Amino acid sequence: HMRHSTDYHLEQVVGWPLDSLQVGQVSGLALDSDSNLVIFHRGDHHWGADSFNSQARYQQRSVGPIQQSTILVVDPTKGTILKASGRDMFYLPHGITTDKNNNYWVTDVALHQVVKVSSDGRDRTVLALGEAFTPGSDSSHFCQPTDVAVDGDTGNIFVSDGYCNARILKFSADGRYLSEWGAGSSDRRRRIPFRIPHSLVFLPDRQEVCVADRENGRIQCFIAQTGEFVKEIKKEEFGGEVFAITYSPAGVNGKSTFGSTPLRGFVIDYSTLDILDIFKPEEKEFKMPHDMVERGDGCVFVGDAGSKSVFKFTTESKHSLIKT
Ligand SMILES: O=C(N[C@@H](O)C(=O)O)c1ccccc1
């Protein structure tokens, strides 16, 4: 791996998880209030070229929802499954995030909905935004929404919408529509619209929302309160597509990218925009690094929709692992 300045370097924890997680296409990762890893996956469903018609309507509705548990809570150290839920609810899972009451906020691109699900194992739908299986672009419809970010202070939620819309919407915690905005709209020079706002993250220490604008190969960040454009992060090294973004207030931004260059993850300092590290798996390659989370202990997990697997990375070098 190329090393970038400082001593920050991520290496794959080879052999994690101990046993295969038996997951389908991994579309989303989150951390719960116990800092366990939460995996949102598609079981035996796949997003392929014929999943939607030209009006973005899902074509396999008659097959029914995924019968496997689509939401897995996994021990971050061993990779063992602690809880499994989300059966018979979803068709094409995409994004997942948790709120401070440990509810799951997920998006499903086939349902065109954002769903708030209880994590008590009873899978109660606490709130659903959007109309099931009905794409649209007004304030009560989405078109293949990709992710949700939660502002822990106000409870407001942000939705990146989506493959067939190019906007970010803001709702109150109880689902009231507040506002929406497109790419860097407040900045004339950056009127280039979003291509696919694919992943969202809330920056708690800055009260900003950042989006991975996938096919534009860039990150754009906005003031959460107003939607005002703050900055754009775009690097040649991204190779043209940025799939996911996650953030840790330690001043380091994690990103995963997927582009013509070999598929890699980047660690960027949010203030200086310096690339602090570039990482990728040691043995297998990334196939479609689709989402990423960073844990408080510095471990980074990457969910891969292509290889139906989750990779774990750590900043400790091998020998220190052997020592411990
Ligand atoms: O990007 C695509 N999918 C991935 O992001 C995903 O699986 O979420 C995709 C787009 C068009 C057709 C088929 C798949």
Side-chain angles (χ1 to χ4, degrees):
H1 300 287
M2 290 173 277
R3 297 184 69 95
H4 283 259
S5 69
T6 72
D7 58 352
Y8 188 90
H9 181 53
L10 285 166
E11 288 180 354
Q12 184 187 357
V13 179
V14 181
W16 188 96
L18 294 176
D19 305 311
S20 162
L21 287 167
Q22 303 293 324
V23 289
Q25 292 182 320
V26 177
S27 62
L29 294 180
L31 292 173
D32 69 10
S33 52
D34 301 319
S35 196
N36 289 317
L37 178 67
V38 186
I39 299 173
F40 196 32
H41 73 101
R42 298 179 178 149
D44 59 0
H45 284 203
H46 292 80
W47 182 352
D50 56 358
S51 299
F52 293 88
N53 69 9
S54 55
Q55 279 78 39
R57 281 195 177 271
Y58 183 57
Q59 298 297 290
Q60 275 89 35
R61 181 175 178 174
S62 56
V63 172
I66 299 164
Q67 294 178 321
Q68 292 96 331
S69 298
T70 57
I71 303 176
L72 303 178
V73 178
V74 169
D75 176 294
T77 309
K78 292 179 287 186
T80 48
I81 294 173
L82 304 172
K83 283 197 306 184
S85 63
R87 288 167 48 90
D88 296 327
M89 295 177 77
F90 302 112
Y91 294 77
L92 276 182
H94 202 274
I96 187 168
T97 195
T98 57
D99 64 21
K100 61 185 175 189
N101 302 321
N102 220 25
N103 295 297
Y104 303 132
W105 289 84
V106 301
T107 71
D108 182 314
V109 291
L111 285 170
H112 300 290
Q113 285 186 301
V114 170
V115 184
K116 178 181 178 181
V117 184
S118 68
S119 61
D120 56 5
R122 292 167 50 205
D123 282 338
R124 284 177 295 109
T125 294
V126 180
L127 181 68
L129 301 177
E131 185 182 345
F133 300 110
T134 310
S137 53
D138 59 17
S139 59
S140 60
H141 291 81
F142 304 115
C143 194
Q144 297 174 326
T146 55
D147 205 0
V148 184
V150 180
D151 171 350
D153 297 336
T154 60
N156 291 339
I157 66 156
F158 300 86
V159 177
S160 42
D161 176 41
Y163 283 84
C164 28
N165 279 333
R167 59 181 183 169
I168 294 173
L169 299 96
K170 181 178 176 181
F171 297 88
S172 65
D174 56 2
R176 269 178 307 104
Y177 173 83
L178 297 176
S179 64
E180 68 182 80
W181 69 89
S185 45
S186 64
D187 179 302
R188 295 280 160 267
R189 289 167 295 146
R190 285 181 172 70
R191 272 212 160 280
I192 304 164
F194 291 137
R195 293 276 288 283
I196 297 179
H198 191 256
S199 168
L200 268 187
V201 68
F202 182 76
L203 284 56
D205 57 334
R206 298 168 187 271
Q207 304 286 309
E208 291 178 18
V209 174
C210 293
V211 64
D213 183 9
R214 189 170 85 175
E215 271 68 9
N216 278 328
R218 67 181 181 179
I219 306 289
Q220 288 211 332
C221 298
F222 305 87
I223 307 275
Q225 175 62 31
T226 60
E228 185 184 345
F229 177 79
V230 172
K231 71 165 73 171
E232 174 173 297
I233 304 172
K234 182 164 187 168
K235 297 279 183 184
E236 280 306 303
E237 293 86 341
F238 288 171
E241 290 187 354
V242 177
F243 254 73
I245 177 172
T246 188
Y247 175 85
S248 60
V252 161
N253 244 342
K255 284 168 201 48
S256 78
T257 183
F258 164 60
S260 50
T261 55
L263 313 180
R264 303 174 298 179
F266 292 84
V267 183
I268 310 250
D269 181 296
Y270 184 80
S271 306
T272 65
L273 303 193
D274 289 340
I275 295 179
L276 302 179
D277 188 29
I278 297 179
F279 63 97
K280 61 179 187 170
E282 273 180 26
E283 294 162 340
K284 293 196 314 186
E285 291 283 302
F286 281 141
K287 277 181 75 177
M288 186 187 280
H290 204 258
D291 200 4
M292 179 172 63
V293 286
E294 180 187 10
R295 207 165 168 262
D297 62 359
C299 287
V300 170
F301 295 92
V302 175
D304 193 307
S307 59
K308 302 183 178 180
S309 59
V310 179
F311 295 93
K312 178 179 180 180
F313 297 86
T314 178
T315 52
E316 287 143 27
S317 57
K318 280 195 179 31
H319 66 273
S320 68
L321 278 180
I322 294 166
K323 240 185 332 198
T324 48

